[in-house]
Amino acid sequence: MVHTFKRTIHACYRGYIVQAAINNLAPLLFVIFQQQFELSLSMIGNLIFLNFGTQLVVDAIAVKFADKIGYRKCMVTAHILCAVGLVALGILPNVITPYAGLCLAVILYAIGGGLIEVLISPIVDAVPGDDKASAMSLLHSFYCWGQVLVVLLSTVFLQVFGHGLWIILPVLWAVLPLANGLSFLKVPIPTPAEEHEKIPIKKLLASKIFMIAMIMMLCAGAAELSMAQWSSLFAERALGVSKVMGDLLGPCLFAVFMGLGRTFYGLWGKRINLTGALLVCSVLCVASYLLASLANNPVFALMGCSLCGLAVSLLWPGMLSYSSECYPGGGTAMFGILAICGDIGCSIGPWITGFVSEGAQNSPVLVAQAAADGFTPEQIGLRIGLLSAILFPIIIVGGIIAMKRMRKTEKLPGRVEAEPER
């Protein structure tokens, strides 16, 4: 049975590489957009918000209608929209008003990305098999490897062919979602749970354990993106590392370690207790943020940035697996709600880090202390801003402990038995 769905699982793996492409390609071109189209920083920020905001809206809609429309139709449509959006990213800014063209392209591929994010996890979860947690972790590792692939290949392309030919780059990346969309036309799609077997959304939201899971998903997204979004700038400005090395030792190495963590658990997670692994990763995340923000030696600080990728590797897929284990009838609605919470965390985590950083570097007391310690206001601001993100893994630690205690006593919708010993 599992062998029957092997092509389906591989198509889902490629789907997360597509997701990585639409989320990480445009940021690599932001400097080019600024120079060629004279975009302000606020306009660049609006493009980021438009991407994640559109995905949030699509997540919410997909929770309600995806099961009725069908997984296959939704996944094929999602990949087509991603391909069209990427092609539009290269063409529309040179055909219509540049900023309007960029916004339209972002909206198109963000709709596709939102559908992919909501549907891939329940598709893999519905594939017959005993070790759902490992399968989910291995699935999410492909987003990390996709991010590494996008950064490296796109950087090489721009270095070899020059910034003037950047419009070809998104068109080339559009081949991937187009080809994978064709795959979803042919691969077998597992049947979702019957309507009478599904847990109503009201019952899910009435469960205290699920409410904690939602908060933890928000914190997982915030802990991951706070480091991923700020590590490059932090390495360059706060640690004095060059731009190229900052990108390689910041977001790229972060993604490598995150991918390694998810791949390891995906291959050998059957032997590891999921709850214990989530707790260890959360504590390691706290330690990595402390090391990155407080270490005076750049080598140790960069080690903290890299270790954070390993630490957050299991938090997002692990919480999805834990929730699926608690609520086997949760279906698309459950995964969609958790994806919405994760995306909210992805948005507010980096924002809070930046807000705290700006406030710290404008504080007379902190600026004076920074000068005494040999730091510039910007350096101390970035360090304190990054340190503030430690709040998110701390909340996750408390949530894991609370969920483990509550699971022994709370009657879960669609599940009667207590937590199994693994």
Side-chain angles (χ1 to χ4, degrees):
M1 185 75 74
V2 176
H3 180 73
T4 303
F5 288 104
K6 192 172 183 179
R7 292 184 296 121
T8 308
I9 295 174
H10 290 171
C12 289
Y13 290 164
R14 293 190 295 270
Y16 256 130
I17 298 177
V18 172
Q19 179 80 350
I22 68 167
N23 282 339
N24 295 284
L25 179 60
L28 298 175
L29 304 173
F30 281 165
V31 174
I32 297 175
F33 293 164
Q34 281 184 301
Q35 295 171 347
Q36 185 169 340
F37 304 130
E38 299 181 352
L39 301 187
S40 65
L41 288 176
S42 62
M43 295 170 80
I44 293 293
N46 290 339
L47 291 177
I48 299 173
F49 179 80
L50 192 60
N51 180 25
F52 285 103
T54 302
Q55 291 191 47
L56 276 172
V57 173
V58 173
D59 289 350
I61 295 174
V63 167
K64 188 69 176 177
F65 298 106
D67 282 344
K68 298 178 181 178
I69 297 173
Y71 286 172
R72 188 185 304 278
K73 291 180 181 178
C74 288
M75 288 301 291
V76 172
T77 302
H79 282 77
I80 291 174
L81 285 170
C82 287
V84 172
L86 287 171
V87 172
L89 186 68
I91 295 176
L92 285 185
N94 297 294
V95 176
I96 61 177
T97 304
Y99 188 60
L102 290 173
C103 288
L104 183 56
V106 168
I107 291 173
L108 285 171
Y109 66 58
I111 295 174
L115 283 171
I116 289 174
E117 182 178 31
V118 170
L119 296 176
I120 279 190
S121 293
I123 288 175
V124 172
D125 188 70
V127 171
D130 298 328
D131 196 9
K132 302 291 186 180
S134 295
M136 195 67 68
S137 181
L138 190 60
L139 167 70
H140 283 256
S141 74
F142 278 84
Y143 180 90
C144 310
W145 301 128
Q147 182 179 347
V148 174
L149 199 65
V150 170
V151 173
L152 291 180
L153 292 183
S154 300
T155 301
V156 170
F157 178 91
L158 294 173
Q159 189 71 25
V160 173
F161 297 101
H163 291 183
L165 294 178
W166 72 267
I167 60 174
I168 300 176
L169 189 59
V171 176
L172 291 176
W173 277 111
V175 175
L176 176 61
L178 185 61
N180 206 42
L182 293 175
S183 296
F184 271 102
L185 280 173
K186 303 175 182 178
V187 299
I189 302 294
T191 305
E194 296 294 334
E195 199 66 36
H196 66 275
E197 297 176 348
K198 295 175 185 175
I199 303 173
I201 295 178
K202 289 183 179 179
K203 283 191 175 182
L204 279 174
L205 298 179
S207 170
K208 294 180 181 178
I209 289 181
F210 189 70
M211 293 299 293
I212 295 177
M214 291 170 62
I215 295 173
M216 290 172 64
M217 276 296 293
L218 187 152
C219 291
E224 178 181 326
L225 267 292
S226 293
M227 182 64 77
Q229 294 288 309
W230 285 98
S231 57
S232 177
L233 184 63
F234 175 78
E236 183 183 358
R237 301 288 178 83
L239 303 179
V241 179
S242 68
K243 173 63 177 172
V244 174
M245 294 304 295
D247 288 340
L248 293 178
L249 298 178
C252 191
L253 196 57
F254 172 90
V256 168
F257 273 80
M258 186 163 63
L260 288 173
R262 289 177 177 177
T263 302
F264 175 84
Y265 193 85
L267 295 176
W268 294 286
K270 193 173 183 179
R271 308 173 186 176
I272 304 173
N273 179 274
L274 178 59
T275 307
L278 284 170
L279 188 59
V280 170
C281 284
S282 304
V283 173
L284 180 61
C285 190
V286 173
S288 64
Y289 268 106
L290 285 173
L291 181 61
S293 58
L294 299 181
N296 290 328
N297 189 315
V299 175
F300 289 111
L302 288 170
M303 285 175 58
C305 295
S306 302
L307 282 175
C308 187
L310 181 64
V312 302
S313 62
L314 189 58
L315 297 184
W316 186 300
M319 280 311 305
L320 291 177
S321 298
Y322 191 90
S323 300
S324 177
E325 190 176 287
C326 290
Y327 311 98
T332 307
M334 179 189 71
F335 285 106
I337 292 171
L338 293 175
I340 291 171
C341 294
D343 280 343
I344 292 174
C346 291
S347 301
I348 68 171
W351 178 82
I352 290 175
T353 302
F355 180 81
V356 173
S357 295
E358 186 173 349
Q361 71 181 27
N362 291 327
S363 170
V365 176
L366 292 175
V367 168
Q369 183 62 45
D373 295 337
F375 293 113
T376 66
E378 184 180 39
Q379 287 175 325
I380 199 66
L382 287 170
R383 285 176 178 272
I384 292 177
L386 201 62
L387 180 62
S388 68
I390 198 174
L391 172 67
F392 304 120
I394 289 176
I395 293 175
I396 295 175
V397 171
I400 293 171
I401 296 173
M403 288 177 74
K404 188 169 180 62
R405 292 177 178 175
M406 293 172 61
R407 191 170 172 181
K408 295 178 180 179
T409 57
E410 182 179 344
K411 185 177 180 181
L412 303 176
R415 192 180 184 93
V416 179
E417 67 269 22
E419 180 180 15
E421 292 296 329
R422 297 177 56 191

